[in-house]
Amino acid sequence: MGFVCFLIFMPLVVFNESNYKLNINKIYESSDSPKCVLNLFHIETFEGGSFSRGKYLERQASKFNKQFKNCYIVVKTLSLHELEMNLADNNKADIYSFSCGAGAYIAGLLKELDKNNNTRDDLKDYGKIGGKLLAYPYILSGYVLFSYDNLAGEDERLDDLVKTKKVGKKEYVGLSLSSGTQGLEVLKVNNISLLDADATVFPSSYEAYQNFLKKKSVSLLGTNRDFARLKNREENGGISAIRYNYLGGFSDLVQYVGVTKSGNDYKEYYSDLFAKFLTTDNCQNDLANYGLFSTNGKNIYSSGDYLDFENELIKSLKSRNVFEK
Protein backbone atom coordinates (compact mmCIF):
# COMPACT_ATOMS: atom_id res chain seq x y z
CA MET A 1 0.00 0.00 0.00
CA GLY A 2 2.83 2.38 0.91
CA PHE A 3 4.56 1.71 -2.43
CA VAL A 4 1.33 2.39 -4.33
CA CYS A 5 0.90 5.72 -2.50
CA PHE A 6 4.46 6.66 -3.42
CA LEU A 7 3.82 5.99 -7.10
CA ILE A 8 0.64 8.05 -6.98
CA PHE A 9 2.13 11.07 -5.26
CA MET A 10 5.69 11.01 -6.64
CA PRO A 11 4.91 12.98 -9.85
CA LEU A 12 3.39 15.80 -7.81
CA VAL A 13 6.69 16.25 -6.00
CA VAL A 14 8.99 15.76 -8.97
CA PHE A 15 7.05 18.00 -11.39
CA ASN A 16 5.99 20.75 -9.00
CA GLU A 17 6.35 23.84 -11.23
CA SER A 18 8.11 26.10 -8.71
CA ASN A 19 10.57 23.35 -7.76
CA TYR A 20 11.19 22.65 -11.41
CA LYS A 21 12.00 26.30 -12.17
CA LEU A 22 14.20 26.51 -9.09
CA ASN A 23 16.16 23.43 -10.18
CA ILE A 24 16.55 24.76 -13.71
CA ASN A 25 17.88 28.09 -12.38
CA LYS A 26 20.32 26.25 -10.12
CA ILE A 27 21.63 24.28 -13.10
CA TYR A 28 21.96 27.38 -15.30
CA GLU A 29 23.83 29.34 -12.64
CA SER A 30 26.16 26.51 -11.66
CA SER A 31 29.83 27.00 -12.47
CA ASP A 32 29.78 23.47 -13.93
CA SER A 33 27.18 24.43 -16.53
CA PRO A 34 28.24 24.51 -20.18
CA LYS A 35 29.41 27.85 -21.56
CA CYS A 36 26.84 29.99 -23.31
CA VAL A 37 27.83 32.46 -26.02
CA LEU A 38 25.15 34.94 -27.06
CA ASN A 39 25.25 37.20 -30.10
CA LEU A 40 23.80 40.68 -29.62
CA PHE A 41 23.09 42.82 -32.68
CA HIS A 42 23.07 46.51 -31.79
CA ILE A 43 21.38 48.46 -34.59
CA GLU A 44 21.92 52.21 -34.65
CA THR A 45 19.29 54.33 -36.37
CA PHE A 46 19.97 57.59 -34.52
CA GLU A 47 23.01 59.30 -33.06
CA GLY A 48 23.75 58.56 -29.41
CA GLY A 49 25.23 60.57 -26.56
CA SER A 50 28.77 61.66 -25.83
CA PHE A 51 30.15 58.13 -26.27
CA SER A 52 29.21 55.02 -28.25
CA ARG A 53 26.16 53.01 -27.21
CA GLY A 54 27.96 49.97 -28.60
CA LYS A 55 30.76 50.53 -26.09
CA TYR A 56 28.17 50.98 -23.35
CA LEU A 57 26.69 47.59 -24.23
CA GLU A 58 30.12 45.95 -24.23
CA ARG A 59 30.72 47.33 -20.74
CA GLN A 60 27.39 45.97 -19.47
CA ALA A 61 28.09 42.59 -21.13
CA SER A 62 31.41 42.43 -19.25
CA LYS A 63 29.68 43.21 -15.96
CA PHE A 64 27.08 40.54 -16.71
CA ASN A 65 29.78 37.94 -17.38
CA LYS A 66 31.36 38.64 -13.99
CA GLN A 67 28.01 37.85 -12.40
CA PHE A 68 27.14 34.89 -14.64
CA LYS A 69 30.48 33.33 -15.49
CA ASN A 70 29.01 30.76 -17.89
CA CYS A 71 27.66 33.40 -20.25
CA TYR A 72 29.56 35.48 -22.80
CA ILE A 73 27.85 38.16 -24.86
CA VAL A 74 29.35 39.29 -28.17
CA VAL A 75 28.15 42.76 -29.19
CA LYS A 76 28.09 43.62 -32.88
CA THR A 77 27.08 47.09 -34.05
CA LEU A 78 25.15 47.18 -37.33
CA SER A 79 23.60 49.77 -39.58
CA LEU A 80 20.03 49.23 -40.74
CA HIS A 81 21.34 48.07 -44.13
CA GLU A 82 23.68 45.58 -42.47
CA LEU A 83 20.77 44.25 -40.42
CA GLU A 84 18.80 43.70 -43.63
CA MET A 85 21.71 41.80 -45.19
CA ASN A 86 22.14 39.60 -42.11
CA LEU A 87 18.45 38.74 -42.03
CA ALA A 88 18.48 37.97 -45.76
CA ASP A 89 21.30 35.48 -45.07
CA ASN A 90 19.27 34.02 -42.15
CA ASN A 91 21.96 35.27 -39.78
CA LYS A 92 20.07 36.06 -36.59
CA ALA A 93 21.14 37.23 -33.14
CA ASP A 94 20.06 35.97 -29.72
CA ILE A 95 19.47 39.53 -28.48
CA TYR A 96 18.61 42.70 -30.40
CA SER A 97 19.23 46.30 -29.36
CA PHE A 98 17.16 48.51 -31.66
CA SER A 99 14.98 51.57 -32.04
CA CYS A 100 12.42 53.00 -34.46
CA GLY A 101 13.33 52.10 -38.01
CA ALA A 102 14.74 48.68 -37.14
CA GLY A 103 11.92 47.23 -35.04
CA ALA A 104 9.70 46.38 -38.03
CA TYR A 105 12.40 44.06 -39.40
CA ILE A 106 12.68 41.90 -36.30
CA ALA A 107 9.23 42.00 -34.67
CA GLY A 108 8.41 38.45 -35.83
CA LEU A 109 11.62 37.07 -34.31
CA LEU A 110 11.05 38.26 -30.75
CA LYS A 111 9.50 36.43 -27.81
CA GLU A 112 7.17 37.91 -25.23
CA LEU A 113 9.02 39.24 -22.18
CA ASP A 114 8.12 39.26 -18.50
CA LYS A 115 6.65 42.35 -16.93
CA ASN A 116 9.39 44.80 -15.97
CA ASN A 117 8.79 47.15 -13.03
CA ASN A 118 12.03 49.07 -13.52
CA THR A 119 11.08 50.73 -16.81
CA ARG A 120 8.73 53.63 -17.50
CA ASP A 121 5.20 52.58 -18.43
CA ASP A 122 4.89 55.32 -21.06
CA LEU A 123 7.97 54.07 -22.94
CA LYS A 124 7.26 50.40 -22.30
CA ASP A 125 3.89 50.69 -24.05
CA TYR A 126 5.70 51.51 -27.30
CA GLY A 127 7.54 48.15 -27.12
CA LYS A 128 4.31 46.14 -27.33
CA ILE A 129 2.41 44.47 -30.15
CA GLY A 130 -1.15 43.36 -29.50
CA GLY A 131 -0.68 43.98 -25.79
CA LYS A 132 2.36 41.68 -25.64
CA LEU A 133 5.61 43.17 -24.34
CA LEU A 134 8.33 42.28 -26.86
CA ALA A 135 11.05 44.75 -25.87
CA TYR A 136 12.24 46.74 -22.86
CA PRO A 137 13.23 50.40 -23.29
CA TYR A 138 16.72 50.79 -21.85
CA ILE A 139 18.26 54.00 -23.28
CA LEU A 140 16.58 57.37 -23.70
CA SER A 141 17.78 60.31 -25.76
CA GLY A 142 16.05 63.57 -26.55
CA TYR A 143 15.85 66.70 -28.67
CA VAL A 144 17.29 70.17 -28.10
CA LEU A 145 16.71 73.42 -29.98
CA PHE A 146 20.14 75.08 -30.21
CA SER A 147 20.33 78.75 -31.21
CA TYR A 148 23.17 81.23 -31.61
CA ASP A 149 22.70 84.00 -29.03
CA ASN A 150 23.97 86.74 -31.31
CA LEU A 151 21.58 85.67 -34.11
CA ALA A 152 18.59 85.04 -31.85
CA GLY A 153 18.91 88.52 -30.37
CA GLU A 154 16.08 89.39 -27.98
CA ASP A 155 13.82 86.60 -29.19
CA GLU A 156 12.58 84.33 -26.42
CA ARG A 157 9.64 82.58 -28.07
CA LEU A 158 10.68 79.25 -29.59
CA ASP A 159 8.62 80.09 -32.68
CA ASP A 160 10.85 83.09 -33.36
CA LEU A 161 14.04 81.04 -33.01
CA VAL A 162 13.19 78.96 -36.10
CA LYS A 163 12.45 81.91 -38.37
CA THR A 164 14.82 83.16 -41.07
CA LYS A 165 16.60 86.35 -39.94
CA LYS A 166 18.56 89.10 -41.56
CA VAL A 167 21.47 90.34 -39.47
CA GLY A 168 23.22 93.26 -41.11
CA LYS A 169 23.40 92.41 -44.80
CA LYS A 170 23.42 88.65 -44.27
CA GLU A 171 20.39 86.37 -44.15
CA TYR A 172 20.35 83.23 -41.99
CA VAL A 173 17.86 80.43 -42.53
CA GLY A 174 15.81 79.72 -39.41
CA LEU A 175 16.48 76.04 -38.74
CA SER A 176 18.76 73.16 -39.71
CA LEU A 177 17.29 69.69 -39.11
CA SER A 178 17.56 66.11 -40.26
CA SER A 179 15.01 64.11 -42.20
CA GLY A 180 16.15 60.96 -40.39
CA THR A 181 14.27 61.72 -37.15
CA GLN A 182 10.77 62.76 -36.12
CA GLY A 183 11.91 66.34 -35.68
CA LEU A 184 8.69 67.83 -36.97
CA GLU A 185 6.71 65.88 -34.38
CA VAL A 186 8.76 67.20 -31.47
CA LEU A 187 8.32 70.75 -32.81
CA LYS A 188 4.57 70.20 -33.03
CA VAL A 189 4.32 68.81 -29.48
CA ASN A 190 6.20 71.88 -28.24
CA ASN A 191 3.91 74.24 -30.20
CA ILE A 192 6.69 75.44 -32.48
CA SER A 193 5.41 76.51 -35.91
CA LEU A 194 7.86 75.99 -38.75
CA LEU A 195 7.45 77.25 -42.30
CA ASP A 196 9.10 75.32 -45.14
CA ALA A 197 10.91 78.46 -46.25
CA ASP A 198 12.54 78.76 -42.81
CA ALA A 199 14.07 75.26 -42.76
CA THR A 200 16.94 73.43 -44.40
CA VAL A 201 16.48 69.65 -44.18
CA PHE A 202 19.49 67.32 -44.41
CA PRO A 203 19.68 63.55 -44.98
CA SER A 204 21.61 63.00 -41.74
CA SER A 205 21.87 64.52 -38.27
CA TYR A 206 25.58 65.14 -38.75
CA GLU A 207 25.04 67.19 -41.93
CA ALA A 208 22.46 69.33 -40.12
CA TYR A 209 24.95 69.81 -37.28
CA GLN A 210 27.73 70.80 -39.70
CA ASN A 211 25.49 73.37 -41.38
CA PHE A 212 24.70 74.94 -38.00
CA LEU A 213 28.37 74.82 -37.01
CA LYS A 214 29.21 76.84 -40.13
CA LYS A 215 26.68 79.40 -38.87
CA LYS A 216 24.38 78.98 -41.85
CA SER A 217 21.27 78.86 -39.68
CA VAL A 218 19.97 80.57 -36.56
CA SER A 219 19.01 77.30 -34.89
CA LEU A 220 19.53 73.54 -35.01
CA LEU A 221 17.11 70.83 -33.98
CA GLY A 222 19.56 68.31 -32.57
CA THR A 223 19.96 65.42 -30.16
CA ASN A 224 22.12 64.27 -27.25
CA ARG A 225 25.10 63.85 -29.56
CA ASP A 226 24.87 67.45 -30.78
CA PHE A 227 24.44 68.56 -27.16
CA ALA A 228 27.75 66.88 -26.24
CA ARG A 229 29.53 68.25 -29.32
CA LEU A 230 28.37 71.83 -28.91
CA LYS A 231 28.92 71.93 -25.14
CA ASN A 232 32.48 70.77 -25.67
CA ARG A 233 33.12 73.35 -28.39
CA GLU A 234 31.54 76.16 -26.38
CA GLU A 235 33.55 75.32 -23.25
CA ASN A 236 36.75 75.28 -25.30
CA GLY A 237 36.01 78.61 -26.98
CA GLY A 238 35.54 77.03 -30.39
CA ILE A 239 32.09 78.47 -30.99
CA SER A 240 30.11 81.56 -30.03
CA ALA A 241 27.57 81.39 -27.20
CA ILE A 242 24.71 78.93 -27.68
CA ARG A 243 21.22 79.06 -26.26
CA TYR A 244 19.85 75.63 -25.26
CA ASN A 245 16.12 74.85 -25.19
CA TYR A 246 15.47 71.28 -24.03
CA LEU A 247 12.38 69.86 -25.70
CA GLY A 248 10.22 67.43 -23.76
CA GLY A 249 6.83 65.91 -24.50
CA PHE A 250 8.01 63.65 -27.33
CA SER A 251 10.99 61.46 -28.15
CA ASP A 252 11.36 58.62 -30.62
CA LEU A 253 15.05 58.39 -29.67
CA VAL A 254 14.60 55.34 -27.45
CA GLN A 255 16.71 52.19 -27.62
CA TYR A 256 14.97 48.89 -26.84
CA VAL A 257 16.22 45.36 -26.14
CA GLY A 258 14.44 42.21 -27.28
CA VAL A 259 15.10 38.47 -27.15
CA THR A 260 14.86 36.04 -30.07
CA LYS A 261 12.54 33.01 -29.99
CA SER A 262 15.33 30.53 -30.66
CA GLY A 263 13.80 27.39 -29.16
CA ASN A 264 17.01 26.98 -27.16
CA ASP A 265 15.89 27.24 -23.52
CA TYR A 266 19.44 27.68 -22.28
CA LYS A 267 20.16 30.66 -24.55
CA GLU A 268 16.74 32.21 -24.02
CA TYR A 269 17.21 31.99 -20.25
CA TYR A 270 20.43 34.02 -20.33
CA SER A 271 19.12 36.37 -23.01
CA ASP A 272 16.10 37.16 -20.81
CA LEU A 273 18.42 37.76 -17.86
CA PHE A 274 20.60 40.16 -19.82
CA ALA A 275 17.63 42.10 -21.22
CA LYS A 276 16.34 42.66 -17.71
CA PHE A 277 19.89 43.32 -16.46
CA LEU A 278 20.13 46.35 -18.78
CA THR A 279 17.16 47.92 -16.99
CA THR A 280 18.59 47.55 -13.47
CA ASP A 281 19.54 50.71 -11.58
CA ASN A 282 23.22 49.81 -11.81
CA CYS A 283 23.22 49.73 -15.63
CA GLN A 284 20.86 52.68 -15.90
CA ASN A 285 23.05 54.86 -13.67
CA ASP A 286 26.02 54.05 -15.92
CA LEU A 287 24.28 55.87 -18.79
CA ALA A 288 25.37 59.14 -17.17
CA ASN A 289 28.93 58.30 -18.25
CA TYR A 290 27.75 58.23 -21.87
CA GLY A 291 25.69 61.41 -22.02
CA LEU A 292 22.41 59.48 -22.20
CA PHE A 293 19.31 59.18 -20.04
CA SER A 294 17.62 56.44 -18.06
CA THR A 295 14.34 54.73 -18.93
CA ASN A 296 13.42 54.12 -15.28
CA GLY A 297 12.10 57.65 -14.71
CA LYS A 298 14.77 58.51 -12.15
CA ASN A 299 17.44 61.20 -12.16
CA ILE A 300 20.91 59.90 -12.90
CA TYR A 301 22.45 63.39 -13.04
CA SER A 302 22.82 65.50 -9.92
CA SER A 303 23.54 68.95 -11.38
CA GLY A 304 24.36 70.97 -14.47
CA ASP A 305 22.96 71.12 -17.98
CA TYR A 306 22.37 67.38 -18.25
CA LEU A 307 20.12 67.54 -15.20
CA ASP A 308 18.09 70.34 -16.78
CA PHE A 309 17.78 68.29 -19.98
CA GLU A 310 16.91 65.17 -17.98
CA ASN A 311 14.14 66.92 -16.04
CA GLU A 312 12.37 67.68 -19.33
CA LEU A 313 12.59 64.03 -20.38
CA ILE A 314 11.45 62.64 -17.03
CA LYS A 315 8.02 64.12 -17.73
CA SER A 316 5.57 61.92 -19.60
CA LEU A 317 6.66 61.39 -23.20
CA LYS A 318 4.82 60.54 -26.37
CA SER A 319 6.73 58.36 -28.81
CA ARG A 320 6.27 55.91 -31.68
CA ASN A 321 5.73 52.19 -31.47
CA VAL A 322 9.21 50.80 -32.00
CA PHE A 323 7.85 48.17 -34.43
CA GLU A 324 6.21 50.65 -36.81
CA LYS A 325 7.72 51.10 -40.25
Side-chain angles (χ1 to χ4, degrees):
M1 180 66 178
F3 181 70
V4 173
C5 289
F6 175 74
L7 287 178
I8 293 172
F9 291 108
M10 180 181 70
L12 296 177
V13 175
V14 173
F15 295 105
N16 177 281
E17 186 178 358
S18 60
N19 285 343
Y20 177 75
K21 287 182 178 177
L22 180 64
N23 290 337
I24 289 293
N25 291 356
K26 188 179 282 189
I27 290 169
Y28 283 172
E29 293 168 14
S30 164
S31 59
D32 297 327
S33 298
K35 304 302 180 193
C36 177
V37 178
L38 301 176
N39 289 308
L40 187 159
F41 285 178
H42 169 61
I43 303 103
E44 296 212 335
T45 52
F46 66 88
E47 289 192 323
S50 52
F51 294 99
S52 161
R53 281 168 292 165
K55 294 297 182 186
Y56 167 80
L57 277 171
E58 289 173 7
R59 176 176 165 87
Q60 307 320 309
S62 177
K63 285 157 58 175
F64 186 79
N65 175 239
K66 289 176 182 175
Q67 189 172 338
F68 301 96
K69 299 190 183 301
N70 300 311
C71 184
Y72 299 87
I73 298 173
V74 180
V75 178
K76 187 174 183 180
T77 298
L78 303 176
S79 66
L80 188 57
H81 179 60
E82 288 169 331
L83 170 66
E84 291 181 80
M85 290 193 298
N86 273 274
L87 293 176
D89 290 339
N90 203 33
N91 183 20
K92 299 167 187 171
D94 302 294
I95 306 169
Y96 287 93
S97 162
F98 62 101
S99 54
C100 292
Y105 291 88
I106 59 173
L109 304 176
L110 303 181
K111 60 172 286 194
E112 186 174 2
L113 299 176
D114 294 334
K115 181 180 179 181
N116 190 324
N117 293 322
N118 209 44
T119 52
R120 293 170 54 159
D121 288 339
D122 56 350
L123 299 179
K124 195 159 48 184
D125 283 344
Y126 296 105
K128 294 178 180 178
I129 294 182
K132 292 183 178 180
L133 181 61
L134 300 184
Y136 298 140
Y138 79 98
I139 293 176
L140 173 61
S141 185
Y143 291 94
V144 184
L145 183 66
F146 306 92
S147 308
Y148 284 108
D149 258 346
N150 60 347
L151 296 183
E154 299 299 316
D155 292 336
E156 292 186 4
R157 292 178 64 254
L158 298 185
D159 262 1
D160 293 329
L161 296 177
V162 297
K163 286 182 169 56
T164 297
K165 284 186 171 52
K166 193 168 184 179
V167 180
K169 294 182 179 180
K170 191 168 182 181
E171 189 172 80
Y172 299 86
V173 71
L175 184 68
S176 298
L177 73 161
S178 163
S179 63
T181 62
Q182 292 292 304
L184 295 179
E185 186 63 25
V186 75
L187 292 178
K188 179 181 174 182
V189 168
N190 284 275
N191 299 311
I192 303 172
S193 300
L194 178 67
L195 300 175
D196 288 346
D198 290 325
T200 306
V201 182
F202 294 88
S204 72
S205 298
Y206 188 68
E207 288 172 279
Y209 162 77
Q210 284 288 340
N211 191 66
F212 178 72
L213 197 61
K214 293 172 183 174
K215 221 166 187 176
K216 292 187 176 181
S217 65
V218 178
S219 298
L220 164 72
L221 182 64
T223 66
N224 280 47
R225 178 60 61 86
D226 301 307
F227 181 67
R229 289 172 178 144
L230 291 169
K231 270 290 170 191
N232 184 58
R233 282 184 174 272
E234 192 177 17
E235 288 169 4
N236 289 302
I239 194 172
S240 58
I242 300 289
R243 188 179 303 178
Y244 301 82
N245 283 289
Y246 311 113
L247 303 179
F250 175 89
S251 179
D252 58 330
L253 309 177
V254 187
Q255 198 80 15
Y256 287 78
V257 58
V259 174
T260 301
K261 294 179 289 190
S262 66
N264 183 322
D265 289 345
Y266 197 64
K267 284 194 168 188
E268 285 188 21
Y269 171 81
Y270 276 118
S271 297
D272 281 339
L273 274 183
F274 185 67
K276 194 161 276 189
F277 178 76
L278 288 176
T279 69
T280 60
D281 286 350
N282 183 283
C283 292
Q284 292 289 291
N285 290 339
D286 201 15
L287 288 167
N289 295 313
Y290 294 80
L292 293 160
F293 300 108
S294 169
T295 57
N296 63 15
K298 302 172 186 174
N299 285 107
I300 59 174
Y301 296 91
S302 57
S303 62
D305 297 305
Y306 275 100
L307 177 60
D308 294 337
F309 193 176
E310 181 177 55
N311 283 334
E312 284 300 316
L313 295 177
I314 279 179
K315 301 170 187 175
S316 180
L317 291 172
K318 293 180 180 180
S319 190
R320 294 167 58 205
N321 187 287
V322 74
F323 300 109
E324 286 180 3
K325 287 187 177 178

